[in-house]
Amino acid sequence: MHIKKNISGEGRTQRIMILCLLACFHLSPAAGQGQTGSLTVTGLQCEYASNPIGIDGLPQLSWRLESAARATQQTAYRIIVAASPDRLDENIGDVWDTGKVPSSKSTAIRYHGRKPESRQRYFWKVQVWDNHRDSAWSEPAFFEMGLLNRDDWVSGWIGYVPGMPGRTLYFKGTFVPRKPVETARAYMSGLGFSELYINRKKVGDHVLDPAQSAYSKRVYYVTFDVGSYLSEQANSIVAVVAPGWMGAPRLRIQIEVTYRDGSREVLTSERMRSVTAGPVMYATVFDGEHYDARLDVPAIHQPGEPSGLMNRDWAWAHNTDDPAGEMEAQKIDPIKVVETIAPVSVKEPVPGVYVFDAGRNLAGWASLRVQGREGDRVALRFAETLYENGLVNQENLRNAKVEDTYILSGKGVETWEPAFTYHGFRYVQVEGLPRPPEAGDIRVKAVRSSVSRSGTFRCSNPLLNDIHRMVVNTEAANLHSVPTDCPQRDERMGWLNDLTVRIEQAVYNFNMSRFYPKFMNDIRDTQDPGGAITCVAPFRFGMRPADPVSASYLILALKCYEFYGNRQMIADHFDGMKAWVDYLHSRTENGIVDYSYYGDWCPPRDFLLHPDGSGVSRDTPGKLISTGYLYYCARILSDMAKAVGRDADASRYGELAGEICAAFNREYWDEQAGGYGSNNQACNSFALYLGLADEKKAPRALANLAEDVRKHDYHLTTGNLCTKYLLEVLTEQGHPEVAYRIATQTTYPGWGFMLSKGATTLWERWEYATGDAMNSHNHPMMGSVGSWFYRYILGITPDMQHPAFERFNIRPVIFNDLSFAEGELVTEKGTVKSAWKKNGKTLNFDVVIPANSTAIVYVPAGNVRTLTESGKSIGKVKELKFLREEGGYVVIEAGSGTYSFRSALK
């Protein structure tokens, strides 16, 4: 995409790059990378919606300003939205024109123009000015509204109840264009999972559409541009719908065709009533997919209505009760096949049975290439571990069968992969192959929500690199339109207790700017009139009310504000978050929350209440954890209230936090022991992380915490929650090397122990177990160490007072054992980089700060006199401002740019 040149300055030629990011939609598909003179725009992407068409909410607009000049700051912007490209070319914003707005803000700017209309395409561009007196226009982009009103849906829901449980249905219609087609849109929701085919060609590259939800509250639809799929002749349109999370297939589809003369035609579900079973005989989330290629007959995809309805092959779909939920455009990143993997090995443990090793644990499925006789049956079974005899061990999958089968048609070389299930596995056991497999016969497909990677990390300790990789693998395998707890057994739910300490790790490693707002809606949809939410969202099983550790409801909004500048998310959910905090407060007696289910779940076995049973801690009081989280929620609710201008709530919940703090100390501080609760690692780290200890209590609790770690030979005794707080408190409060020794343990319990047993993803327990018990080998709840890498080794942290990295901190901890560390984080402003390397007592520290950002950089140094940047003393670099010396750092305010610091360490 080119931009128009409009430069003014004092004889300078600046290179400004404006990255126009549309916070609710993609930009024009024609947008690419271009350059005019000294200006360029590149990397166009969508921030808060995955589809360029079918938007059903008010957009939020974002862009990035980049410059070769240091310390570049935006000083003003102007956004123009027009109803036509011609109007936009003339700089006429007949839909919205902000005028020149003096502001450095460039993220999540909410649309305040003329009320958008259903199906209407709007064109927009932005002009920015910077502090170097330069300005630039972006090239045009567009967004297109979906179906905004209930009345826009003229199509109803259809289904076929007599179908067997687990049966996938094929709904077919025929469309013959009456005139040349200008545009065509398909608005479709096939519950639980669906795919659309036109003339036997699959539309789009999504899988497992639409995103799961509480169907009684909201139902997602997907918008497809299908104009290029239509021919001038009769078109076969087939919607394949599997039960998914719904239980029985339901279809609502509306294809709207606009002809070149401006007239329109609508194909509704009414014209898709021919229904058959097809080759997908059975498909469920947990058990797998069964496909009979002999039933993939031409009639399914041939245009025309089948004759003789109803008969043994075809039936007439009937109207069904509508799912009660409101129709909503799917904004979350769609689930896709994101990677194809060649197995690293194949073995034949018994004759005719082949076991393929994907090389790592993941979520997805396997594709098959096979040639044989008609009716031959190939079975694929999936597992995370193997028995000693080399066969797959599925005991920990509980009631999930996790098996795909394919019955051959006998027509030459056949290829197949499932479409309406997924598995968590490392190993694929294949039985029934007509001949020994060749290279390429089995391929592993990694399947997940297609969120992009946002962070990278590497250091001189290979163990930490492996732990980082393990954390990333685990998070990736548990993103399937909800943040699941595991991808393999009969669960795969969005547990809020795990998520409380998982969120920050995820936003450092992946772009969750669309994923998490969707999940916030899932949580809100579980809330009852009294404010209670549930342990799992969407609510399929679990407890109501949720365990008080479910602070994730609020932390999701907080982190999306800090990292992405999504203030609207706080505003939209504030009343719900407030109701949850009020509910928890109503469950207190003398300031102490009166219930707990999980607490600091799954500490090492010796610290469990029932070592052979659940994961409840023996030594960490559940009500202590519950009360601490009420304090935490009240505090961050007060902070978020300030961000959205709710001053009365900010004051009220600040006072509530103070009351709970006092009650917590009355109840749980042990003056004789000098610690909280049982004086263990969990109790003390939790209280210190939350700031519940005053200046007299904190030193004693911290000393006890460090001593307890030493007593356990630098091993942790914490569970899924307090492990995060243990590392961070020790690192921030004077014991970083103790935290480092915990993180780098290779013996039980620890992440290195998992790796020593061959783990490629995190376990549910600190113990290695393989039997019929609670022992998922792909569970992200122990992965909070992932954020520790970014926050402390790289030192990159956001600033809530200046969200979306308008202003942020870089403060690395230089651990004794590490000789270097490097990494980056893609932010709303651009890419932040931090890289340091020791050479004896000399430190080389390189940072990159994106344009329109300011960083407070803590450079490890003995004093400012030993510090240089690109060979110059700090005082001679005009883009740097010396602030102070503090605790072994020289603190500097730095504008955008690339900096190379060199310092002498203490």
Side-chain angles (χ1 to χ4, degrees):
M1 172 182 278
H2 296 285
I3 63 174
K4 296 179 180 178
K5 184 176 180 181
N6 182 6
I7 307 175
S8 61
E10 298 177 351
R12 292 167 298 127
T13 301
Q14 300 292 343
R15 179 176 177 269
I16 298 176
M17 186 186 302
I18 303 172
L19 175 55
C20 299
L21 300 177
L22 206 52
C24 284
F25 36 81
H26 278 306
L27 303 179
S28 166
Q33 176 175 332
Q35 183 169 331
T36 301
S38 62
L39 305 181
T40 184
V41 63
T42 186
L44 298 176
Q45 59 178 305
C46 163
E47 286 300 303
Y48 300 125
S50 63
N51 207 352
I53 56 177
I55 303 305
D56 65 355
L58 292 178
Q60 298 185 84
L61 309 182
S62 301
W63 57 88
R64 294 179 189 157
L65 177 64
E66 299 182 11
S67 174
R70 283 181 170 181
T72 297
Q73 291 287 326
Q74 177 183 294
T75 58
Y77 69 82
R78 179 191 179 192
I79 299 171
I80 291 178
V81 183
S84 71
D86 291 341
R87 289 290 220 178
L88 198 69
D89 284 344
E90 297 169 2
N91 293 339
I92 299 175
D94 56 341
V95 178
W96 189 36
D97 187 340
T98 65
K100 186 175 181 179
V101 180
S103 174
S104 63
K105 186 177 181 182
S106 60
T107 58
I109 295 175
R110 193 166 176 81
Y111 172 86
H112 287 292
R114 193 175 71 199
K115 183 179 179 180
E117 299 177 6
S118 295
R119 310 175 184 86
Q120 178 66 45
R121 176 172 289 191
Y122 298 98
F123 303 85
W124 78 285
K125 62 183 178 181
V126 62
Q127 183 181 17
V128 300
W129 290 261
D130 72 5
N131 57 326
H132 302 305
R133 302 182 185 179
D134 291 333
S135 69
W137 278 103
S138 72
E139 276 263 328
F142 76 81
F143 59 95
E144 182 179 307
M145 307 310 295
L147 304 181
L148 305 181
N149 309 302
R150 288 186 179 182
D151 293 345
D152 292 329
W153 284 96
V154 296
S155 186
W157 289 92
I158 58 174
Y160 188 65
V161 173
M164 295 185 298
R167 200 66 180 261
T168 296
L169 300 180
Y170 292 66
F171 298 88
K172 186 174 83 166
T174 299
F175 172 67
V176 182
R178 295 182 283 117
K179 308 170 187 177
V181 173
E182 180 68 19
T183 63
R185 301 287 183 262
Y187 306 97
M188 175 175 160
S189 182
L191 302 179
F193 300 138
S194 58
E195 293 184 343
L196 179 63
Y197 290 81
I198 297 179
N199 299 323
R200 205 178 177 90
K201 183 179 180 181
K202 180 183 171 181
V203 176
D205 59 354
H206 302 188
V207 298
L208 304 178
D209 259 347
Q212 60 169 300
S213 61
Y215 302 125
S216 63
K217 298 293 180 67
R218 73 183 74 228
V219 175
Y220 292 106
Y221 70 90
V222 182
T223 305
F224 295 109
D225 181 349
V226 297
S228 62
Y229 292 83
L230 297 173
S231 71
E232 297 178 355
Q233 310 301 317
N235 295 274
S236 166
I237 300 175
V238 176
V240 188
V241 188
W245 295 101
M246 180 67 178
R250 295 286 187 272
L251 174 66
R252 191 177 203 180
I253 185 169
Q254 188 164 308
I255 300 178
E256 301 189 358
V257 177
T258 301
Y259 294 111
R260 291 179 186 171
D261 64 5
S263 60
R264 297 174 63 249
E265 184 174 0
V266 180
L267 175 73
T268 68
S269 304
E270 181 68 27
R271 294 168 64 179
M272 298 281 291
R273 288 188 179 274
S274 299
V275 62
T276 189
V280 180
M281 299 292 294
Y282 178 86
T284 69
V285 176
F286 297 142
D287 292 344
E289 181 169 317
H290 299 254
Y291 190 97
D292 189 340
R294 298 171 299 181
L295 302 180
D296 188 6
V297 295
I300 294 176
H301 291 278
Q302 286 177 346
E305 184 175 299
S307 60
L309 293 175
M310 297 171 52
N311 54 44
R312 63 176 294 177
D313 296 320
W314 290 89
W316 187 251
H318 51 262
N319 294 339
T320 65
D321 291 336
D322 294 354
E326 292 289 330
M327 300 295 292
E328 182 175 318
Q330 178 171 296
K331 303 179 185 69
I332 191 174
D333 315 76
I335 300 175
K336 296 183 179 182
V337 175
V338 296
E339 185 180 3
T340 298
I341 302 166
V344 297
S345 70
V346 57
K347 297 181 180 179
E348 188 179 9
V350 299
V353 177
Y354 301 92
V355 177
F356 295 80
D357 181 358
R360 74 172 195 264
N361 212 0
L362 50 81
W365 54 65
S367 65
L368 172 68
R369 182 180 66 192
V370 64
Q371 184 172 9
R373 297 170 300 179
E374 179 182 355
D376 283 351
R377 179 181 181 274
V378 179
L380 298 88
R381 301 174 63 209
F382 301 82
E384 297 180 307
T385 61
L386 301 175
Y387 288 115
E388 290 185 3
N389 63 7
L391 297 175
V392 294
N393 180 352
Q394 293 187 315
E395 291 180 17
N396 71 327
L397 304 181
R398 301 195 298 217
N399 293 315
K401 295 179 181 177
V402 190
E403 180 176 328
D404 296 336
T405 59
Y406 180 79
I407 300 175
L408 279 67
S409 68
K411 300 176 181 177
V413 177
E414 304 176 44
T415 59
W416 172 80
E417 61 187 76
F420 303 114
T421 189
Y422 76 95
H423 315 294
F425 65 98
R426 175 173 177 169
Y427 302 99
V428 187
Q429 182 170 301
V430 183
E431 304 173 40
L433 289 174
R435 56 173 174 75
E438 298 177 354
D441 286 350
I442 295 292
R443 285 287 185 262
V444 173
K445 304 293 182 76
V447 177
R448 61 168 173 84
S449 294
S450 53
V451 295
S452 60
R453 286 293 306 276
S454 58
T456 62
F457 168 81
R458 190 173 74 93
C459 70
S460 58
N461 188 335
L463 175 62
L464 293 182
N465 297 335
D466 289 343
I467 294 172
H468 169 68
R469 190 177 303 109
M470 184 166 60
V471 171
V472 171
N473 288 345
T474 310
E475 186 65 39
N478 282 280
L479 300 174
H480 294 90
S481 79
V482 301
T484 59
D485 61 327
C486 59
Q488 75 293 89
R489 67 188 181 209
D490 56 349
E491 194 168 354
R492 313 184 199 186
M493 303 296 177
W495 283 94
L496 303 190
N497 61 327
D498 298 356
L499 194 62
T500 291
V501 293
R502 173 182 165 190
I503 294 166
E504 192 170 54
Q505 165 271 122
V507 296
Y508 272 117
N509 284 308
F510 295 94
N511 182 350
M512 307 298 282
S513 61
R514 295 180 290 274
F515 192 99
Y516 277 160
K518 182 267 180 188
F519 192 65
M520 279 289 283
N521 289 335
D522 291 333
I523 299 172
R524 179 169 62 183
D525 288 346
T526 75
Q527 194 164 39
D528 66 20
I533 58 177
T534 59
C535 285
V536 169
F539 188 44
R540 307 200 188 283
F541 70 79
M543 304 295 288
R544 181 191 294 277
D547 189 297
V549 304
S550 300
S552 49
Y553 187 20
L554 284 79
I555 296 172
L556 283 166
L558 176 66
K559 294 305 171 182
C560 284
Y561 179 62
E562 287 180 350
F563 279 76
Y564 310 124
N566 194 343
R567 180 180 280 103
Q568 193 63 40
M569 188 171 167
I570 297 176
D572 290 346
H573 290 275
F574 192 89
D575 289 338
M577 295 186 292
K578 177 179 172 180
W580 171 233
V581 175
D582 288 346
Y583 173 80
L584 291 178
H585 188 213
S586 76
R587 293 294 303 269
T588 60
E589 183 176 348
N590 296 322
I592 302 302
V593 178
D594 65 2
Y595 77 104
S596 171
Y597 310 138
Y598 314 115
D600 188 32
W601 184 249
C602 283
R605 178 182 172 86
D606 289 347
F607 303 94
L608 292 173
L609 183 63
H610 302 291
D612 296 321
S614 76
V616 174
S617 173
R618 181 193 66 199
D619 301 319
T620 305
K623 292 181 182 179
L624 178 150
I625 298 296
S626 295
T627 304
Y629 274 116
L630 172 56
Y631 164 81
Y632 189 30
C633 287
R635 196 184 77 197
I636 61 179
L637 187 64
S638 175
D639 291 340
M640 289 192 290
K642 296 172 187 175
V644 294
R646 298 182 62 148
D647 296 339
D649 284 321
S651 177
R652 174 189 170 191
Y653 289 98
E655 291 175 0
L656 175 60
E659 294 170 6
I660 300 303
C661 175
F664 185 95
N665 278 281
R666 283 195 307 269
E667 182 71 17
Y668 295 113
W669 174 252
D670 185 333
E671 178 63 25
Q672 182 176 357
Y676 287 91
S678 63
N679 201 28
N680 67 354
Q681 293 178 19
C683 294
N684 283 328
S685 65
F686 187 49
L688 289 167
Y689 177 86
L690 295 178
L692 290 165
D694 62 25
E695 60 185 11
K696 292 183 179 180
K697 296 181 177 69
R700 297 180 66 193
L702 181 62
N704 278 330
L705 174 62
E707 179 58 30
D708 191 85
V709 173
R710 295 186 188 99
K711 184 176 70 176
H712 290 93
D713 194 23
Y714 295 92
H715 288 78
L716 53 78
T717 64
T718 48
N720 67 335
L721 301 176
C722 291
T723 295
K724 174 181 175 67
Y725 311 136
L726 173 66
L727 291 181
E728 297 195 8
V729 165
L730 289 170
T731 305
E732 288 193 3
Q733 300 187 24
H735 298 275
E737 296 300 331
V738 175
Y740 184 86
R741 289 188 65 174
I742 294 172
T744 54
Q745 286 292 344
T746 58
T747 55
Y748 170 84
W751 298 281
F753 175 73
M754 296 183 189
L755 289 166
S756 74
K757 297 297 182 181
T760 57
T761 49
L762 298 161
W763 302 340
E764 184 176 17
R765 314 291 291 256
W766 292 113
E767 298 77 31
Y768 178 75
T770 60
D772 181 11
M774 190 181 73
N775 56 15
S776 159
H777 284 227
N778 197 336
H779 228 81
M781 72 182 187
M782 299 299 189
S784 60
V785 65
S787 57
W788 186 75
F789 298 140
Y790 291 93
R791 289 182 61 88
Y792 300 104
I793 299 180
L794 298 181
I796 302 171
T797 57
D799 180 348
M800 184 184 176
Q801 304 306 315
H802 304 275
F805 286 79
E806 180 179 8
R807 187 182 181 96
F808 63 97
N809 301 311
I810 304 181
R811 184 176 182 168
V813 177
I814 312 301
F815 291 98
N816 293 337
D817 183 57
L818 297 180
S819 61
F820 78 87
E822 59 186 11
E824 62 183 46
L825 180 67
V826 179
T827 75
E828 297 300 288
K829 301 292 187 180
T831 300
V832 174
K833 295 183 180 181
S834 172
W836 56 265
K837 184 176 183 179
K838 289 189 293 189
N839 183 9
K841 286 292 185 178
T842 300
L843 181 76
N844 294 308
F845 180 30
D846 296 335
V847 301
V848 175
I849 303 165
N852 209 24
S853 288
T854 299
I856 305 301
V857 183
Y858 291 72
V859 183
N863 56 66
V864 70
R865 295 186 301 277
T866 70
L867 178 60
T868 61
E869 193 284 312
S870 298
K872 299 179 181 179
S873 64
I874 297 302
K876 294 182 178 180
V877 182
K878 65 179 182 179
E879 298 87 3
L880 301 178
K881 179 182 179 181
F882 170 71
L883 300 178
R884 61 189 178 276
E885 294 179 359
E886 176 185 304
Y889 293 94
V890 173
V891 187
I892 296 168
E893 180 180 286
S896 65
T898 299
Y899 299 92
S900 295
F901 297 103
R902 185 180 177 91
S903 64
L905 297 172
K906 279 189 175 181

